[in-house]
Amino acid sequence: MADLLAADAPAATIGEPAINISIFGVFVLITLVITFRASRNNKSAADFYAAGRNISGTQNGLAIAGDYLSAASFLGIAGAIAVYGYDGFLYSIGFLVAWLVALLLVAELLRNTARFTMADVLAFRMRQGPVRTAAAISTLVVSLFYLLAQMAGAGGLVTLLLGVSGEAAQAVTVVVVGALMIFYVLVGGMRGTTYVQVIKASLLIIGALVMTVWVLAEYGFNLSSLIGGAIESGGQAVAEPGAQYGLTNVTKLDFISLGLALVLGTAGLPHVLMRFYTVPTAKDARKSVVVAIWLIGIFYIFSLVIGYGAGALVGKEEILAAPGAVNAAAPLLAFELGGTALLGIISGVAFATILAVVAGLTITASASFAHDIYASVIKRGQASPDSEVKVARVAAIVIGAVAIGLGILALQAGLNIAFLVALAFAVAASANLPTILYTLFWKDFTTQGALWSIYGGLIACVTLIIFSPVVSGAAVNPTTGKSTSLFQDVDFHWFPLNNPGLVSIPLSFFLGWLGTKLSKERPDVDKYAELEVRSLTGIGAEKAVQH
């Protein structure tokens, strides 16, 4: 995934900080009111975790789009297209195609089978304790890396637009974002988070539409003229493949690896999977994915115009020289088109984007701990729903505090956090998706196979990332003139690819198969038959909560 905002304090402010903070305040105030009103309906565990399963397919589709279109999608992809052109747009293709995997293989089956979390499916016919623990660990790892990226991105965006500098001011920014995130989860639960995501997705798509129409109007609504302007500004390379992934055979393999992680990772992202439990029926789960595909696809078409528009009207050199570099493309374009007012609105939308995504991640991580580890493993299924929700709320505070602390460290260290998002997708594709597919479609799958697949994919993915050019040893990028490594003064990498998906995903599938074949336990064929009937027909699926 494209870089999020860099954490360096800005050398200059874009726009008027007073106007920017006023628009931020309006967005925050509206979402806080909505969250408080939604909290009145939180009367049970199903309300807190799954919004009572009363969210319609259309609403859930909007919420999924809000969950999925993070700040990295909005700011990062537009910037990648502005700087790299064709290769930047390939991110969008990977993200969009990924939803076909979710639609065809995951959405309906999970809605029929699980209650609140991914582990409900994985542990359905396995030994509860070890499988739920493994699934919870995987969920927490994916969520924390994704959460850290968004938190540091929020800090970078706000410090850039409000003109604050210094470690203390940046730390306060991250603390405010984290406090808002925790409030949304504690007070609104999944219902409040869903409404925030619906509003955020609507605002984001409307904002992108306005910028798209505005850019096209500058070029007589002629896409060829727009691309011609981008070529004139950035050179012929922005209209041809290879600017980012065609330099060597290694970068070509890296693109295949990244694409594999993006396409397969979406169907294993815990905060995306949890959205399927908020609808009343499997039909609504399918509808929500279809709605999300349309919205996300339309948004990525807008991002193509916005990216090329930034390249043509702002210029690659000015984008790379700005605080935030590649990720400043969309705010710079907004300022170029509509001045301070449009910049403030677009930046406010980006800020709302971050708040909605971090709230969704936090409730997923806290639900996984409370439901899978506390209620199912520690209490062995004897915990009351009220105590489970209390533990989830405490877990949300702890997870939020950890995310705030790590976000401050990442921001003040100038940490390149793009690899954290890529790692989240790679871990989801490596540890979660193979186990989900084996559980749903292979009757001989066993507990040992599930554990080997989850832990093997998780450990392999994290290990390969640590010893990749993402952490150390990356060469200077000829386009940006900077090394992209986390530690630039040392080199201990031996794995050549930035994304481990090409190795870790097949390895996880293999380990799941090998662990099952070497297992001494007999698969529970009767339980698999029950799972198959339930997943395909909805018989025994959780019902919506009536108020």
Side-chain angles (χ1 to χ4, degrees):
M1 184 176 284
D3 294 349
L4 294 176
L5 289 168
D8 296 331
T13 309
I14 301 175
E16 293 291 334
I19 295 178
N20 294 337
I21 198 169
S22 298
I23 296 175
F24 287 168
V26 170
F27 279 118
V28 170
L29 184 61
I30 292 172
T31 53
L32 288 177
V33 171
I34 291 169
T35 301
F36 184 75
R37 289 177 64 88
S39 68
R40 299 174 182 176
N41 292 321
N42 284 339
K43 301 174 182 177
S44 67
D47 287 324
F48 186 79
Y49 290 141
R53 299 187 178 85
N54 280 309
I55 304 298
S56 71
T58 302
Q59 289 175 328
N60 199 46
L62 266 167
I64 288 174
D67 229 348
Y68 196 67
L69 295 174
S70 65
S73 294
F74 179 41
L75 302 174
I77 290 179
I81 293 171
V83 174
Y84 299 111
Y86 182 93
D87 280 16
F89 187 60
L90 293 176
Y91 279 101
S92 306
I93 302 299
F95 288 141
L96 184 59
V97 170
W99 281 103
L100 294 178
V101 179
L103 174 63
L104 298 175
L105 297 179
V106 174
E108 178 181 357
L109 304 182
L110 284 185
R111 169 61 188 88
N112 285 339
T113 309
R115 293 186 66 212
F116 302 131
T117 66
M118 174 184 71
D120 288 334
V121 178
L122 302 185
F124 191 89
R125 59 191 181 99
M126 310 293 180
R127 297 201 306 274
Q128 295 281 316
V131 172
R132 283 191 181 275
T133 302
I137 291 173
S138 175
T139 297
L140 290 170
V141 170
V142 174
S143 299
L144 191 60
F145 277 110
Y146 217 129
L147 198 57
L148 172 55
Q150 298 297 323
M151 293 288 286
L157 175 66
V158 177
T159 53
L160 171 68
L161 294 167
L162 301 188
V164 298
S165 60
E167 294 185 353
Q170 293 177 345
V172 170
T173 300
V174 176
V175 170
V176 170
V177 173
L180 287 170
M181 165 189 76
I182 294 170
F183 178 86
Y184 289 146
V185 175
L186 292 183
V187 176
M190 179 58 86
R191 193 184 306 276
T193 301
T194 298
Y195 292 152
V196 170
Q197 288 165 342
V198 167
I199 292 172
K200 166 257 167 166
S202 303
L203 291 173
L204 183 61
I205 293 171
I206 291 170
L209 172 62
V210 170
M211 290 184 68
T212 299
V213 172
W214 205 322
V215 167
L216 289 175
E218 295 283 328
Y219 289 90
F221 293 95
N222 189 321
L223 187 59
S224 296
S225 298
L226 169 61
I227 296 175
I231 292 173
E232 184 178 339
S233 174
Q236 184 65 34
V238 299
E240 298 175 350
Q244 188 174 8
Y245 292 109
L247 302 176
T248 66
N249 288 331
V250 171
T251 53
K252 292 176 182 177
L253 278 177
D254 210 12
F255 171 68
I256 295 173
S257 186
L258 176 66
L260 192 63
L262 297 183
V263 169
L264 297 180
T266 296
L269 287 174
H271 66 290
V272 171
L273 298 178
M274 197 167 175
R275 294 236 54 91
F276 298 141
Y277 312 139
T278 64
V279 292
T281 66
K283 180 180 178 181
D284 288 302
R286 292 195 305 272
K287 182 179 179 180
S288 63
V289 176
V290 172
V291 170
I293 289 174
W294 275 103
L295 294 174
I296 294 167
I298 291 169
F299 176 81
Y300 284 142
I301 292 174
F302 292 162
S303 72
L304 177 66
V305 176
I306 293 170
Y308 274 124
L313 297 173
V314 179
K316 182 169 72 174
E317 298 300 326
E318 187 173 340
I319 291 171
L320 292 175
V326 172
N327 309 283
L332 287 171
L333 177 62
F335 189 64
E336 181 75 21
L337 293 172
T340 302
L342 184 60
L343 169 68
I345 293 171
I346 295 302
S347 301
V349 170
F351 189 60
T353 294
I354 293 170
L355 286 177
V357 173
V358 296
L361 288 164
T362 304
I363 195 169
T364 299
S366 61
S368 181
F369 177 83
H371 182 64
D372 297 325
I373 294 181
Y374 170 75
S376 300
V377 176
I378 297 176
K379 291 295 186 179
R380 300 184 182 278
Q382 301 303 311
S384 67
D386 287 343
S387 66
E388 191 176 324
V389 170
K390 288 179 182 177
V391 170
R393 288 193 163 112
V394 173
I397 296 174
V398 174
I399 291 165
V402 171
I404 289 170
L406 293 177
I408 291 172
L409 291 176
L411 189 60
Q412 295 181 351
L415 182 63
N416 182 342
I417 54 177
F419 81 97
L420 295 173
V421 179
L423 179 58
F425 272 78
V427 171
S430 301
N432 296 345
L433 185 63
T435 316
I436 291 171
L437 295 182
Y438 277 145
T439 299
L440 291 173
F441 299 109
W442 188 19
K443 67 178 180 180
D444 293 331
F445 195 46
T446 64
T447 299
Q448 179 171 294
L451 296 178
W452 282 30
S453 181
I454 294 174
Y455 287 127
L458 178 65
I459 293 170
C461 185
V462 173
T463 301
L464 292 178
I465 282 285
I466 291 173
F467 293 103
S468 76
V470 165
V471 176
S472 71
V476 173
N477 187 306
T479 302
T480 62
K482 300 177 182 178
S483 172
T484 55
S485 289
L486 173 59
F487 302 110
Q488 300 184 4
D489 298 328
V490 294
D491 183 2
F492 51 83
H493 90 283
W494 49 261
F495 184 67
L497 304 180
N498 285 300
N499 193 289
L502 193 62
V503 175
S504 60
I505 296 172
L507 178 63
S508 181
F509 275 106
F510 172 73
L511 289 174
W513 172 83
L514 183 64
T516 296
K517 290 299 182 183
L518 296 179
S519 176
K520 295 180 181 179
E521 67 178 307
R522 295 177 61 85
D524 194 334
V525 179
D526 292 337
K527 264 291 189 182
Y528 174 75
E530 180 184 346
L531 173 69
E532 187 175 33
V533 171
R534 181 167 168 174
S535 65
L536 294 175
T537 65
I539 296 174
E542 294 290 325
K543 304 300 181 184
V545 177
Q546 302 298 326
H547 293 296

